[in-house]
Structures are given as structure tokens and as C-alpha cells.
Amino acid sequence: MILSCFMFHFQATLGFFALPTEPSNIVESLITNLIILLGAILLTSGEDGRSRAEQLLHILRQLDPYVSASAEHQRRRGCVAVHEVLVKFRNLCSGGFGASGSYPTLSLKHIDQGGPRGSSSLPSAFVLPNRDSLSLGERIMAYLPRCADTDDEVRKVAIQIIALFFNISLSLPKQKTSANDIDLESSYGALSSLEDIVSIIRRASVDQIEVFHRVVSSVCTLLSKDEVDNIS
Ligand SMILES: *[C@@H]1O[C@H](CO)[C@@H](O)[C@H](O)[C@H]1NC(C)=O
């Protein structure tokens, strides 16, 4: 009930991302709490992996205007929020859907007891979303321009977001028959190259054009043909 009321005001609430940076102590803690709330919405909504993936996409699409805002601080907040929500989603994927229960505070106890093992006898609540439900082509196109952002914090988080998306997608089953157009070996190579870029991006000596070039080339390897076809 409380959650559905909140969802009703979801868009209005995200408007806080547009607040100015001052007074910084108040605004920063508000933004932090808002990001925690987004993670909680993801954890408490949906009964199985599939509906959680839908919820994830809903949240991410609502964040798009901030991710691409002209104000630097809004882009920073948008990207940090996307990253946090994705980390939560990845934890759900690796902990097993449903295993964490409806409330995040119960998760540790429940994961200890159950976990994703013996999945054949598990109810549908444990069903993983498939890779196709992430709309990877669309999502990567939302974050790729940020990898060449003028702000270095935005650039770094954007590359982390893209690496996380592929980290998650490689752990998910693929639905379409074109599953075999993903070469796993080169995918893992491209993903670890993305992670390497994240670790060096802050160095002053790093050529930003070269960094962007490497990100694009990893993305080209990681996206399947049908994901690229779906971008337009
Ligand atoms: C994804 O990230 C987790 C945690 O860092 C790691 O254990 C896992 O191996 C990664 N998966 C891939 C496919 O790189």
C-alpha cells in the first residue's frame, strides 16, 4: 500500500535529482536517501526475476532525463543512481530471485537457508529474467555518450554502468535462438577490458579519446547482432 502510493509519486520524487547543489549537506543526504529508496523499490517490487527486470527498466528509463541533463550535477546524480540500482539488481541475480524474500532486511538469513541451488524444484519466484529483458541495445545507447562526458566522475561511473550491464547479462539465460551469436570467450575478454579502463580512467596521462575508443570497441564485441538491430 505504502509502496503503491509511493509509485504514484515516483516521477515527482525523482524531481529531487534536479535540486541545486546547495546547501550541500542537506541536498547530498537527500539524494543519497533517494538512491537508497530506488534500490528498495527494486527489491520489494515484483515476484520473480522477470517482473524485477521490468521494474529495473522502468526505474532506469525514469532516470534517463537526469543522466543526459545539461547540468553536470544532475548527470552525476543520475549516473550514480543508475549504478546503485544495477548493483542491487546484480546482487538479486546472483543471490537467486525470491531467495531474498520481499524485504531486503531479511535477505541474509534467507539466502543462507536457500540460495539458488536445487533450482529444478523451486517455484517460479526464482525464475531468472532472460538477457533479452534488459533491452541492452537501448540501455547501452543511453549510457555510451556519458563515457565521453566532460565530467570525469560521470565518465567513470558511465563505464562502470556499461561493465555492470554486461556482467549481469553474461550471467542470464538467453531466450532467442540467436543465443549462439554471442561468443563467450571474446565477451569475457571485452568485459575485463572495460573493467581495466575503469581502473585507469582517473590517471592524468590517460588519453580520453583512446578510452572512448576502447569502450566502443568492447561494446561492439559484447552486444549481440539482434541487440544492435534493436537500437533504432
Ligand atoms: C560479475 O561481477 C562479479 C562480482 O564482481 C564477479 O564475481 C563475476 O565473475 C562477474 N561476472 C563476469 C561474467 O565477469
Side-chain angles (χ1 to χ4, degrees):
M1 178 61 189
I2 291 169
L3 193 65
S4 60
C5 287
F6 178 75
M7 292 310 291
F8 187 72
H9 297 288
F10 189 52
Q11 240 165 328
T13 307
L14 285 185
F16 286 120
F17 277 115
L19 284 174
T21 50
E22 297 294 332
S24 65
N25 55 337
I26 296 172
V27 176
E28 287 312 309
S29 77
L30 185 62
I31 299 293
T32 304
N33 285 326
L34 188 53
I35 291 174
I36 291 171
L37 193 55
L38 291 180
I41 290 174
L42 182 71
L43 293 176
T44 52
S45 66
E47 261 112 57
D48 58 15
R50 217 155 292 159
S51 51
R52 289 242 173 83
E54 276 168 26
Q55 184 65 43
L56 172 76
L57 279 185
H58 178 70
I59 294 173
L60 296 182
R61 286 176 182 144
Q62 300 290 320
L63 288 169
D64 281 349
Y66 304 101
V67 167
S68 62
S70 55
E72 209 161 74
H73 66 277
Q74 291 187 25
R75 295 201 301 281
R76 232 179 279 155
R77 290 166 183 168
C79 287
V80 168
V82 168
H83 184 258
E84 287 299 306
V85 171
L86 273 180
V87 166
K88 290 274 185 305
F89 187 78
R90 186 193 54 196
N91 294 346
L92 278 174
C93 288
S94 52
F97 282 87
S100 55
S102 300
Y103 299 97
T105 46
L106 298 176
S107 61
L108 279 178
K109 209 165 91 196
H110 282 230
I111 286 170
D112 281 349
Q113 288 165 355
R117 273 156 294 164
S119 53
S120 58
S121 61
L122 291 170
S124 63
F126 291 82
V127 171
L128 278 172
N130 57 52
R131 172 172 169 138
D132 310 74
S133 66
L134 293 180
S135 296
L136 271 179
E138 173 208 291
R139 287 296 95 204
I140 298 308
M141 285 308 122
Y143 308 118
L144 194 56
R146 300 282 73 78
C147 299
D149 203 275
T150 48
D151 182 73
D152 56 341
E153 172 72 13
V154 171
R155 278 203 302 275
K156 181 181 177 213
V157 180
I159 299 172
Q160 285 176 313
I161 289 170
I162 290 181
L164 254 177
F165 254 110
F166 287 112
N167 173 292
I168 294 167
S169 66
L170 284 169
S171 73
L172 297 180
K174 190 137 186 356
Q175 183 181 43
K176 303 216 176 105
T177 44
S178 52
N180 36 14
D181 86 48
I182 297 167
D183 178 56
L184 280 182
E185 203 172 316
S186 42
S187 291
Y188 289 131
L191 179 56
S192 65
S193 160
L194 274 179
E195 284 158 357
D196 290 346
I197 299 168
V198 171
S199 65
I200 60 160
I201 188 156
R202 282 279 169 73
R203 289 183 204 159
S205 58
V206 172
D207 174 358
Q208 296 309 327
I209 294 170
E210 170 65 17
V211 162
F212 189 63
H213 184 78
R214 280 178 64 183
V215 172
V216 171
S217 119
S218 294
V219 164
C220 291
T221 306
L222 285 156
L223 283 177
S224 71
K225 202 176 154 304
D226 53 302
E227 284 158 357
V228 174
D229 288 345
N230 284 337
I231 285 173
S232 53

